[in-house]
Amino acid sequence: MNKHSEPTRPADEQQVTLRSPAELADALPFLMGFHPSDSIVLVALHGDEGRFGGRLRLGIPRSPREWSPVSEQLAECLVEGSRRRGSRPDGIVAFLCQDPAVGDTGRGVRDRLHPLAQLIRTSFGRLDIPVHEVLCISDGRFWSYCCPDTRCCPPEGNPLALPGTSVMAAASAYAGIQVRGSLREMEARLEPWPGPADKAAKQEQALDEAAGALVPRILGGGSREQVGESTLRSARGLMDRLARTPPAPPRREESGRAGARADDGTDAGDDRLIADDEAAAVIIGLQDREIRDRAAQWMEGPDAEPALRLWRALARRCVGSYAEHAVAPLTLAGWVAWSSGDEPAARVALGLALRLDPTYTFAQLLHQAFNEGLDPETLRRCMRAQNIALAGPRPRAMRRSSANQAKKAVKRAVRKATIKKATVKKATTPAVPAPRTRPGTPTARARAAGRSGQRGTKSGK
């Protein structure tokens, strides 16, 4: 097992050397900022000492038939991304994280995922990059697919270290790095309300009514600016309401159980502050890309925290046939989290947005910029310029032209940092079938308008 050094301070003032599979398994949550669940995690290694570099996470495909093409695509993506950042990896460490299903065991998960581990190794082998370790983490234990020594890697696996007791935990605590629970818990904060059914039904009815009232006005064009101003005014009012109410303390005592939310106390408090019709009107308005772009300007200073709470709350309100409408607030949540320095939260929000709609341009651009290490200040400058253009005392037509130029500058800034001379590959997030929309509803008509080329509320840009 090679040594792997992980810098935990900005200027490499402190280094942690990981000497065993056990230390590597214990370090994973600190590398990602959360406990990955149902995930493939790949980490690039550089230099003779195996310094950690780029990281890539993807959900484990359910069908084994997808494992081979996904492994090849992930290998190409990680290698190409590392090359654009400076150099090809000199090695790879991989993790397969999955909890056992009912009636299964961690050892059963290890055996079932063994072909996937082999495919990952051969995919990087074809690129002449060695995979030094592949670990399976399941049910509080870990197994090595590469170490044949049963003295250190027995068939029954090794237990993970108790939280806070590993060398990586100590170094991370010293550096101020926190782990926010599991990926499943973080995703639960952004997913539609799980119940009760009547609560979700009332929200869906409010969305139907808002769509019926607003979508024709947006598609008609004449009232589009009025809808935009109303949407932003309502969103600002909700942000002010959230800002006046400190977030409720998180209830973490139940976070270990399946399906628990890491911060359900905070989220439930925010949900109570927003009425169904208020949420519905803002959600429908945000489907217009120009309104969404203006809302993206609330990304720093005192606006950042209430904006992030609002976008999370709105994403949870996209219930039933409106699940796809969560892409806009999810993307905004990812942008504000990244702008605020919360990289794990940004990664989760953008990943969910692309899972719902892999073609959503704004989420794609942010995801690429994030993975390529672009400084968010580059985008913040463009957003500030756009805000000045929209608020300036010039005629409306000139303000609109300046705003369009600013938005193009945002896209150029991202693409310049991510594309360079290479062609950017499509996002590796697998497409998830969209929920069915009832025929004849305003949402269905809006989507049909978008597909026919009209300026609708689901532009996907």
Side-chain angles (χ1 to χ4, degrees), residues 115-442:
L116 176 57
Q118 291 297 106
L119 288 168
I120 291 173
R121 298 179 71 181
T122 56
S123 295
F124 280 102
R126 280 191 287 269
L127 300 175
D128 295 325
I129 297 176
V131 177
H132 296 297
E133 185 62 272
V134 183
L135 295 180
C136 175
I137 299 178
S138 180
D139 199 22
R141 307 182 76 84
F142 71 89
W143 290 262
S144 171
Y145 288 115
C146 300
C147 179
D149 192 343
T150 57
R151 292 172 298 179
C152 61
C153 298
E156 65 274 14
N158 287 302
L160 295 171
L162 294 174
T165 61
S166 68
V167 61
M168 192 68 175
S172 298
Y174 179 76
I177 300 173
Q178 296 181 346
V179 177
R180 257 85 54 80
S182 71
L183 173 63
R184 186 176 295 109
E185 290 172 338
M186 296 181 70
E187 288 181 340
R189 303 191 65 192
L190 301 165
E191 292 174 341
W193 284 340
D198 59 339
K199 181 180 178 182
K202 290 178 181 178
Q203 181 61 68
E204 187 168 11
Q205 181 180 357
L207 286 164
D208 279 337
E209 294 172 357
L214 298 178
V215 169
R217 296 175 62 189
I218 296 175
L219 294 180
S223 304
R224 188 180 188 186
E225 290 191 358
Q226 295 178 9
V227 174
E229 294 300 329
S230 175
T231 299
L232 295 172
R233 196 163 48 245
S234 298
R236 167 55 76 179
L238 293 174
M239 285 172 52
D240 292 342
R241 190 184 304 169
L242 290 169
R244 291 192 299 268
T245 308
R251 300 199 300 265
R252 295 203 56 90
E253 68 272 13
E254 296 181 346
S255 63
R257 65 177 176 84
R261 292 175 183 256
D263 289 280
D264 53 0
T266 299
D267 297 339
D270 289 349
D271 289 340
R272 286 192 292 268
L273 295 173
I274 304 173
D276 292 344
D277 57 340
E278 292 176 322
V282 178
I283 289 169
I284 298 300
L286 288 176
Q287 306 310 305
D288 185 290
R289 62 181 181 273
E290 293 186 7
I291 299 173
R292 178 210 63 199
D293 289 348
R294 293 178 63 182
Q297 296 161 16
W298 298 323
M299 74 290 185
E300 58 186 340
D303 287 339
E305 181 186 9
L308 183 56
R309 290 167 63 187
L310 176 60
W311 305 144
R312 284 172 172 164
L314 295 183
R316 295 192 294 271
R317 301 282 187 129
C318 295
V319 297
S321 60
Y322 291 87
E324 278 189 350
H325 284 63
V327 178
L330 284 171
T331 303
L332 290 171
W335 160 235
V336 177
W338 179 33
S339 179
S340 304
D342 191 347
E343 294 188 1
R347 191 181 300 276
V348 171
L350 292 174
L352 284 175
L354 288 171
R355 185 187 302 174
L356 285 170
D357 186 354
T359 66
Y360 199 73
T361 306
F362 190 31
Q364 283 183 333
L365 292 172
L366 290 174
H367 193 258
Q368 292 166 5
F370 179 86
N371 287 332
E372 293 299 330
L374 178 68
D375 185 351
E377 178 60 21
T378 304
L379 274 70
R380 283 195 293 264
R381 285 197 297 266
C382 295
M383 293 290 183
R384 295 184 197 113
Q386 178 179 339
N387 192 29
I388 293 172
L390 289 168
R394 291 170 289 177
R396 180 174 297 174
M398 293 181 63
R399 294 202 306 269
R400 185 182 301 167
S401 175
S402 298
N404 290 336
Q405 292 176 5
K407 285 186 286 187
K408 291 179 181 178
V410 173
K411 293 182 179 180
R412 286 197 301 269
V414 177
R415 286 174 174 148
K416 182 178 179 181
T418 57
I419 297 177
K420 295 184 180 179
K421 296 181 181 180
T423 302
V424 174
K425 293 179 171 56
K426 293 183 178 180
T428 59
T429 306
V432 175
R436 295 182 177 179
T437 303
R438 295 190 298 272
T441 62

